[in-house]
Amino acid sequence: MNENGNLIETHGLTRIYGSGDATVRALDGVDLQVKRGEFVAVMGPSGSGKSTLMNILGCLDRPTAGQYILEGEDVSRLSRDELARVRNRKIGFVFQSYNLLPRLSAVKNVMLPLLYNSDEHLAKEERYERAIAALESVGLGDRVHHRPNEMSGGQQQRVAIARALVNRPAIILADEPTGNLDTRSSIEIMDLLHQLHRDGATIVMVTHDPDIAAHAQRVICVRDGKIESDGHDATGPCLERGRYDESE
């Protein structure tokens, strides 16, 4: 981590797709800092660049120009294999659609990231025990052998969060984590994210819902590939404007 306490830093982050008349500047010189232990929400209409930003922060893509520094390491120009290693070691992903393997039990889904962890050479029993502990930490100690189709949407998302936690990542990236959930399950998942944050987790969450974004400490509003506003304590134009219209 940098001496200034930033877990994440981007400098002039730019991502360009296409060429000529078809050129699209998905990100246009984004400067961003996230300190360890922060809970940040990213909002913006479709085409704003927020998904591109999340892909780069998650080491799923590389910028065309600019720097992305994660825990003091410039990961902007790493190879695909090196990025995969960073993803596995430092980043936990939570997706709107859960992305669980349907034929595997909850505990086996959670164990998957440990199979690709080259930094810790864990025995099968150790991987199993850590996955069980992760499931217990999200309140699913009684569902460890259930498959996804035997669980509710909220329970499946808890499995996904346990999977995100199992490698003890530096940051959790949550992409619309309540997008497929009913109101009650959404509240439960946000309560869980709050608990993880209180326990010291750094969370960056993409959402279209201002009610969900209001749970965060900061709300970053992205539009046309640039940061339009960056509000601390869940304030700022994004929330004042209300829910983004996906047709924008």
Side-chain angles (χ1 to χ4, degrees):
M1 184 175 64
N2 292 350
E3 293 182 0
N4 56 18
N6 291 332
L7 180 65
I8 283 175
E9 289 185 18
T10 71
H11 303 285
L13 204 65
T14 300
R15 186 66 171 97
I16 299 173
Y17 297 103
S19 60
D21 293 339
T23 297
V24 175
R25 297 182 73 88
L27 291 179
D28 191 4
V30 170
D31 296 325
L32 173 67
Q33 297 81 39
V34 177
K35 294 188 180 300
R36 186 179 294 277
E38 279 196 290
F39 188 171
V40 178
V42 179
M43 295 186 71
S46 292
S48 63
K50 66 184 184 302
S51 294
T52 301
L53 176 61
M54 286 291 278
N55 284 341
I56 291 177
L57 295 183
C59 293
L60 295 167
D61 194 10
R62 288 174 288 193
T64 305
Q67 284 185 303
Y68 172 28
I69 299 171
L70 176 61
E71 283 199 310
E73 178 185 8
D74 186 350
V75 300
S76 311
R77 298 293 177 261
L78 295 182
S79 68
R80 292 186 183 277
D81 287 345
E82 289 169 331
L83 286 176
R85 187 167 180 269
V86 171
R87 284 198 304 271
N88 187 260
R89 273 192 305 122
K90 296 188 176 184
I91 302 169
F93 293 94
V94 180
F95 300 99
Q96 177 178 348
S97 56
Y98 325 133
N99 287 10
L100 302 177
L101 296 183
R103 295 185 179 182
L104 296 186
S105 64
V107 67
K108 289 184 177 179
N109 267 286
V110 174
M111 286 173 66
L112 282 175
L114 296 172
L115 297 175
Y116 302 99
N117 187 338
S118 59
D119 292 341
E120 296 183 82
H121 300 286
L122 301 177
K124 183 177 180 180
E125 293 77 11
E126 292 174 305
R127 295 196 298 269
Y128 181 82
E129 289 173 3
R130 188 182 290 188
I132 291 290
L135 285 165
E136 289 175 343
S137 75
V138 300
L140 287 181
D142 60 342
R143 294 289 189 274
V144 297
H145 298 299
H146 286 61
R147 293 183 179 182
N149 65 358
E150 298 171 321
M151 293 182 284
S152 68
Q155 289 171 337
Q156 290 182 64
Q157 191 61 293
R158 285 174 180 268
V159 174
I161 292 172
R163 182 184 57 195
L165 295 173
V166 75
N167 264 336
R168 299 165 184 167
I171 185 168
I172 296 172
L173 297 183
D175 189 358
E176 300 282 4
T178 63
N180 284 347
L181 302 177
D182 58 30
T183 300
R184 179 178 176 180
S185 296
S186 295
I187 292 171
E188 291 175 351
I189 291 301
M190 293 312 303
D191 285 345
L192 176 56
L193 291 178
H194 274 295
Q195 183 59 55
L196 296 174
H197 177 235
R198 287 192 293 269
D199 291 342
T202 305
I203 302 173
V204 178
M205 173 182 68
V206 163
T207 181
H208 289 100
D209 188 339
D211 294 333
I212 296 299
H215 285 267
Q217 293 172 305
R218 276 169 72 191
V219 179
I220 296 171
C221 180
V222 180
R223 186 180 289 272
D224 297 329
K226 299 180 179 181
I227 293 179
E228 183 180 49
S229 66
D230 186 346
H232 289 267
D233 299 318
T235 61
C238 272
L239 296 185
E240 292 169 6
R241 184 181 297 117
R243 186 186 306 272
Y244 271 120
D245 182 352
E246 279 297 271
S247 66
E248 287 188 63

